[in-house]
Amino acid sequence: MTFRVAMDIGGTFTDVVCYDEQTGAVLASKAPTTPGDLAEGVFAALGRVVDDPTLISFSWISFFVHGTTQGLNALLERKGAKVLLLTSAGARDVYQIARGNRDRMFDLRYRKPTPLVPRADVMEAAGRLDWRGTELQPLDEQAVRRAAHRAKAEGFDAVAVTLLFSFANPAHELRAGEILRQELGDDVLVVLSHEVAREWREYERTSSAVLEAYAGPVVRTYLSRIERRFAERGLAVPVHVMQSSGGLVNAGFAMRRPLQTLLSGPVGGTMGGVAAARLLGRENAICVDMGGTSFDVSLVVNGRPDVSAEAHIEGFPVLMPIVNLHTIGAGGGSIAYAEAGALRVGPESAGAVPGPACYGRGGDRPTVTDANVVLGRVDPAWFAGGLMELDVEAAGTAVATLAETLDMDPLQLAEGVCDVANAKMAQAIRTLTVEHGVEPREFALVAFGGAGAMHAVFIARELGIGEVVVPRFPGAFSAWGMLEADVRRDLTHPYFRAQDDLDGEHLAARLAELERDAIAALDSQGVPLDRRRVEHALDMRYEGQDYTLTIPLLDATEPARPGFLQAIARRYAEAHTSRYGHATPEAPVEFVMLRSTGFGTFPKAATAAPVRETHPPAVRDVIFDGQVHRTAVLRRSALPGPLNGEVEGPAIVVEETATTVIPPGCLATVDANGFLIIKVTS
């Protein structure tokens, strides 16, 4: 037996998906997360897949990948490393000053994020390059050694080095890194800004380096422990990790470049959305992941994940390819409460402990999950595939208490809680679509997460979306998506040129160098030669603009061909029109950055249709629009196949990892790949 295995460790549950390479079977399971030793939760979930933990042999695993939120959690909770920042002389305050623009113009209480490194922990080293990378003043190596001695004496966990114009010439940073590593050994992480983000803009590059230094020790410790624990169980293949870009790297690279894993967990769902869109034959999809605490939205556009070259995380800019995710505090555990005589839902969550009232762990405040229990939209006896039995009475008491406060009927309040949550989630989707000129009605809604399929049709109605797709194992879909991702390495090279100064042959030669580096990086990741490919793009802008758009190239040799400048300027104008609604085709353009991305493709796992079972349906009363409806409760494994008809709403579909609600008037079918496709009526 050989298995491809993916795991996603969440705050409440650990999800595992296994693909049997011999039979094509795809199996999923979950187990409670074990904070003291996260590997134990994975072992338990794997044991649930085969119904007997003693049958698990890690030598059977041919490919192993997982997503982690360790770095992100360290940032969110401000529990990262103690960082010393070393900058060029005269640039000590770049990180503290940040940018002068206000992101929230009318927020009177707006404050910049508190820097992760206080000013007292910023040191300077003389030495200067000009903007071309030519040395003007040698590096002050004694100043670097003083920084090393302070880091050792005061117990710093990491040192971030960000020297002026190192993106043009990294010689000074490389020498500083060499000195620091000689003085500090392996106990202190040394981060060089040009290795994190070889891009212009000092503050953004400094912020990226500080974020890597802040989260790096936590991620390194976690990954080394995971590798050790699984090696002890007989795992003979490398541990791969999901990156924020939607690609995979092995754990060794992730420990050297931990910033790349910051959004590792949520991005797995986006890559699952890419795979689902491919299998469904659709170009565009909105991916919604509703868990216990948060609601994440991302897009698949033209069959690809929507990826940006930079982002803001907790208010800090970061320069790296990152899937565009919009997150709000709306999940199954979001607490409903009264404020100024009105109903509010979230962002505060009941979390895993005590959790919703229906969990029976002492929670007494009503949540979205409790509201669904009161409405009859959850099977209390078979929640999470029987992993938990819900306390219906406790949920009813919590909802009724709030209903009395607001002078409402409990059932009316329960629907109101769901309606408010659905409206918030629909607005989150508008933020990523309508506000960027994207029409959501042109997209299918792919719903996953433990609660996503429960609310998906109601959200789709708010947005006028006509189709909802619920993949197999929706509660473990992020792990499923990791098995569909490619190995990915992103390389950048600054290339400042006005269009009149462009030398196409020179540009093509630089791209060829980047392609060779990308191929070598894929080779170091163990990707076979016939599964490697490299894509190239240029960051461009109109002369006088500040920010850029990334324009794809046909290949590395395109700039050397006749007519390249006219062709790329036309593509830039088209992209500018698409993004901003206008363009100035006659204006001169500038070139700012070269981007080359190496992809290593592995065989895709998710093609086998599910095994169907026979299970008699149950019938229960469920509330929709204030009315009681006799509603069929169906096991997903017993749904009719693609040639056997439709499921007419109202219906509740239950499975091991999630519950799907099909309201009255909607029709659902199961396709050949096992996707549940719901046609939404208004």
Side-chain angles (χ1 to χ4, degrees), residues 148-156:
H149 296 159
R150 180 183 172 188
K152 185 182 297 184
E154 298 184 17
F156 284 89

Short mmCIF file of all heavy atoms in Angstrom, two decimals, residues 148-156:
data_model
loop_
_atom_site.label_atom_id
_atom_site.label_comp_id
_atom_site.label_asym_id
_atom_site.label_seq_id
_atom_site.Cartn_x
_atom_site.Cartn_y
_atom_site.Cartn_z
N ALA A 148 26.10 41.47 17.06
CA ALA A 148 26.13 40.05 17.42
C ALA A 148 26.35 39.87 18.92
O ALA A 148 25.70 39.03 19.57
CB ALA A 148 27.22 39.33 16.63
N HIS A 149 27.27 40.65 19.49
CA HIS A 149 27.55 40.53 20.92
C HIS A 149 26.33 40.92 21.75
O HIS A 149 26.03 40.29 22.77
CB HIS A 149 28.76 41.40 21.29
CG HIS A 149 30.02 40.96 20.63
ND1 HIS A 149 31.12 41.79 20.46
CD2 HIS A 149 30.36 39.78 20.05
CE1 HIS A 149 32.07 41.12 19.83
NE2 HIS A 149 31.64 39.90 19.57
N ARG A 150 25.61 41.96 21.30
CA ARG A 150 24.41 42.35 22.03
C ARG A 150 23.33 41.27 21.93
O ARG A 150 22.65 40.96 22.92
CB ARG A 150 23.87 43.68 21.50
CG ARG A 150 22.62 44.12 22.24
CD ARG A 150 22.01 45.40 21.71
NE ARG A 150 20.73 45.63 22.36
CZ ARG A 150 19.87 46.57 22.02
NH1 ARG A 150 20.15 47.41 21.02
NH2 ARG A 150 18.73 46.70 22.66
N ALA A 151 23.17 40.71 20.72
CA ALA A 151 22.16 39.66 20.55
C ALA A 151 22.45 38.48 21.46
O ALA A 151 21.53 37.90 22.07
CB ALA A 151 22.13 39.21 19.09
N LYS A 152 23.72 38.13 21.62
CA LYS A 152 24.09 37.01 22.47
C LYS A 152 23.90 37.36 23.95
O LYS A 152 23.36 36.57 24.73
CB LYS A 152 25.54 36.62 22.21
CG LYS A 152 26.00 35.38 22.97
CD LYS A 152 27.47 35.09 22.70
CE LYS A 152 27.73 34.77 21.24
NZ LYS A 152 29.15 34.39 21.00
N ALA A 153 24.31 38.57 24.31
CA ALA A 153 24.27 38.96 25.73
C ALA A 153 22.84 39.15 26.23
O ALA A 153 22.54 38.85 27.39
CB ALA A 153 25.08 40.24 25.93
N GLU A 154 21.95 39.66 25.38
CA GLU A 154 20.60 39.99 25.82
C GLU A 154 19.55 38.95 25.43
O GLU A 154 18.35 39.16 25.62
CB GLU A 154 20.20 41.37 25.27
CG GLU A 154 21.10 42.48 25.78
CD GLU A 154 20.65 43.85 25.31
OE1 GLU A 154 19.48 43.99 24.87
OE2 GLU A 154 21.47 44.80 25.36
N GLY A 155 19.99 37.83 24.87
CA GLY A 155 19.08 36.72 24.62
C GLY A 155 18.11 36.93 23.47
O GLY A 155 16.96 36.47 23.54
N PHE A 156 18.54 37.60 22.41
CA PHE A 156 17.68 37.74 21.24
C PHE A 156 17.57 36.40 20.52
O PHE A 156 18.54 35.64 20.44
CB PHE A 156 18.23 38.80 20.29
CG PHE A 156 18.00 40.21 20.75
CD1 PHE A 156 18.92 40.86 21.56
CD2 PHE A 156 16.85 40.89 20.39
CE1 PHE A 156 18.71 42.15 22.00
CE2 PHE A 156 16.61 42.18 20.81
CZ PHE A 156 17.54 42.81 21.62
#
